Amino acid sequence: MASRLMLGFAQAAFGPTALIILAASSPQDRLGRSTALFTAGSATGRSGAMIIGGGLLAVLSWSGWFGSVDPWRVAIILMTLPNLILAWWLWRRIRATGAPTPSRRGLRAAVRHIASTRALALHMGAGVAVILLIQAGAGWAPSVLNRSLHFAPATSAWVAGLVILIAAPAGHLTAGRWLDRNVAGRRRIAPVMTLGAALAVCGAALMASGDQAVLVLPGLFLLTAGGGAAALTALGGLAPITRPDMHGSVVSVYLAVCAVAGTGLGPVLTGLISDTFFPHAEGLARALFLTIAIAGALAIVLSLAGAEGWRRLATKSQNSH
């Protein structure tokens, strides 16, 4: 448990730091695409880890190369080695580049700024709702495949991982391009977030429609791609409406709220709804749809409510530069 807490602590520090570096080093007309590459890499890494890690664990369990040592312990160690090599390479590259000036504004100032800026608060609220539906879908997708399509647990994980591996980058990268166009044209980005959330809800509806793979798997694709597009829009839409000296602190607050309210609540809420209202095996997909429908509707309402305010803040920020 202590090792898992340390891993989570380090991962939590990585996200805001990477986004600050991206915002400081990317051209403003390509910031959406730069952020999309970063978030698509994160999504691809998670699904790829399910596939590679599962295959590595299977090989280690079958081969018996490490004797009495548990295969899962060996797999964890082997999966960390590429990260150590990449960290060393990045350290060499980063030392040769100019580091962005750290923010002089603390988290307290960021919270006050968010609370006093209605459009920013609405935008962040929509983003948290999107993260909630994404995490609910990601957490329960293998179980839905297992219960609705009667796949074996291992097959469910592999199939879900493959679908997410394709759908997540597609949603992130497409939204990044749209985001750059809308920011450059000083247009609202709410339609992009609204469309993504709506596609996610439609995908969840298909997953709950029955026991046919021809419906459930495209539903998972739509849920992942649409949710990813909306999430990227929410994250990438922070920079154009946030003062540069507060960008790092605002992103940190946003990611923290997403972790607590979105990641922490989405899977739990789905499980509670399933146990309370849909206790049969096929009811999990319906509970997942209900969770995603509620979160998606909330994201759409908040995004549309703050659309005009977001556009005014983005225009004001561009004019000031």
Side-chain angles (χ1 to χ4, degrees):
M1 184 180 292
S3 299
R4 186 64 184 90
L5 288 171
M6 291 173 61
L7 177 62
F9 184 82
Q11 289 176 330
F14 173 75
T17 306
L19 291 169
I20 292 170
I21 293 174
L22 280 175
S25 58
S26 300
Q28 289 302 306
D29 61 344
R30 295 185 62 86
L31 182 57
R33 276 165 282 186
S34 299
T35 306
L37 285 173
F38 171 73
T39 56
S42 177
T44 303
R46 285 194 297 271
S47 56
M50 292 177 62
I51 298 171
I52 298 173
L56 179 61
L57 184 60
V59 170
L60 292 173
S61 301
W62 171 77
S63 65
W65 290 337
F66 294 89
S68 60
V69 181
D70 293 330
W72 66 268
R73 300 182 187 273
V74 179
I76 287 177
I77 295 173
L78 292 179
M79 291 289 283
T80 62
L81 295 181
N83 293 278
L84 296 176
I85 296 172
L86 181 60
W88 171 80
W89 180 77
L90 284 173
W91 175 253
R92 290 177 58 88
R93 293 293 301 270
I94 289 175
R95 286 193 305 170
T97 62
T101 303
S103 172
R104 298 184 181 275
R105 301 278 186 170
L107 294 179
R108 183 179 300 177
V111 172
R112 286 199 300 263
H113 177 61
I114 294 168
S116 62
T117 309
R118 181 175 180 272
L120 178 58
L122 289 171
H123 180 80
M124 291 178 63
V128 172
V130 168
I131 296 300
L132 191 153
L133 70 85
I134 289 175
Q135 293 300 327
W140 287 106
S143 297
V144 170
L145 298 187
N146 171 251
R147 298 187 187 188
S148 297
L149 302 182
H150 308 292
F151 287 169
T155 303
S156 299
W158 276 62
V159 172
L162 286 172
V163 173
I164 295 171
L165 188 65
I166 299 171
H172 285 261
L173 296 176
T174 301
R177 190 172 186 85
W178 285 353
L179 180 62
D180 285 338
R181 289 180 178 178
N182 287 357
V183 171
R186 303 183 183 182
R187 297 189 295 268
R188 300 180 182 90
I189 63 170
V192 182
M193 191 181 302
T194 298
L195 176 61
L199 287 176
V201 174
C202 291
L206 285 176
M207 293 180 68
S209 62
D211 57 357
Q212 300 295 318
V214 71
L215 295 176
V216 175
L217 296 184
L220 178 57
F221 183 94
L222 282 179
L223 168 59
T224 305
L232 183 278
T233 305
L235 179 60
L238 287 175
I241 60 174
T242 306
R243 298 205 319 254
D245 63 329
M246 299 193 68
H247 181 248
S249 298
V250 169
V251 168
S252 297
V253 172
Y254 173 69
L255 294 180
V257 176
C258 283
V260 174
T263 306
L265 186 59
V268 174
L269 182 60
T270 304
L272 290 174
I273 293 175
S274 178
D275 287 346
T276 304
F277 300 105
F278 308 103
H280 52 285
E282 292 76 11
L284 178 60
R286 298 180 184 178
L288 180 61
F289 166 70
L290 186 57
T291 302
I292 290 175
I294 294 172
L298 182 61
I300 291 172
V301 169
L302 293 177
S303 179
L304 292 176
E308 182 58 29
W310 186 95
R311 189 188 66 82
R312 287 198 301 267
L313 282 177
T315 301
K316 180 179 178 182
S317 177
Q318 286 183 338
N319 291 336
S320 65
H321 293 322

